[in-house]
Amino acid sequence: MKIDCNTSLKDLLQIAKGAMNELQESEEFIVKDLFKSCEWNKIDMGNRSRLGAMFFNFSKNDDKLIIVGIGKTPQNQQKYRKLHDDENTITNNEI
């Protein structure tokens, strides 16, 4: 999906969740890391903050415990660690 200033928060959250498949187990990241820099820059500041809050809520309410919050960066961005892969995720080889 192509990201622009009109991409919905719901779509951005789905993109972020999908990008976690590219991370290794125990890898630490912030939400911004789940997007290419050119894509992240197309998201307006307000939606970046809202996306961060939505992703944080996802991490707190995820019963599969794929990720966990591990604190804040010096820039006050929430850091996460990937605990394990979601066994229900479809890989590119299965499509």
Side-chain angles (χ1 to χ4, degrees):
M1 168 181 280
K2 188 171 180 162
I3 294 176
D4 61 27
C5 61
N6 296 316
T7 305
S8 73
L9 284 170
K10 181 180 174 183
D11 288 341
L12 291 171
L13 182 60
Q14 291 298 65
I15 292 166
K17 289 179 182 180
M20 288 190 313
N21 294 331
E22 304 301 319
L23 300 175
Q24 301 296 318
E25 192 170 309
S26 299
E27 190 169 349
E28 296 180 3
F29 65 97
I30 60 175
V31 174
K32 179 181 179 178
D33 297 335
L34 301 174
F35 295 86
K36 296 176 186 173
S37 62
C38 60
E39 292 176 337
W40 183 255
N41 293 335
K42 292 178 183 176
I43 303 169
D44 70 60
M45 294 292 279
N47 278 347
R48 290 181 198 175
S49 295
R50 286 186 279 279
L51 176 60
M54 289 173 67
F55 195 85
F56 182 76
N57 286 333
F58 161 70
S59 73
K60 290 293 186 189
N61 298 313
D62 180 28
D63 59 346
K64 297 175 188 172
L65 291 175
I66 298 169
I67 58 169
V68 63
I70 58 170
K72 298 273 190 161
T73 68
Q75 296 79 25
N76 202 34
Q77 296 169 309
Q78 180 65 45
K79 288 174 55 174
Y80 301 92
R81 178 178 294 123
K82 183 175 180 180
L83 300 178
H84 60 83
D85 289 322
D86 181 3
E87 291 103 26
N88 296 324
T89 303
I90 297 174
T91 63
N92 289 338
N93 296 335
E94 296 174 317
I95 298 176

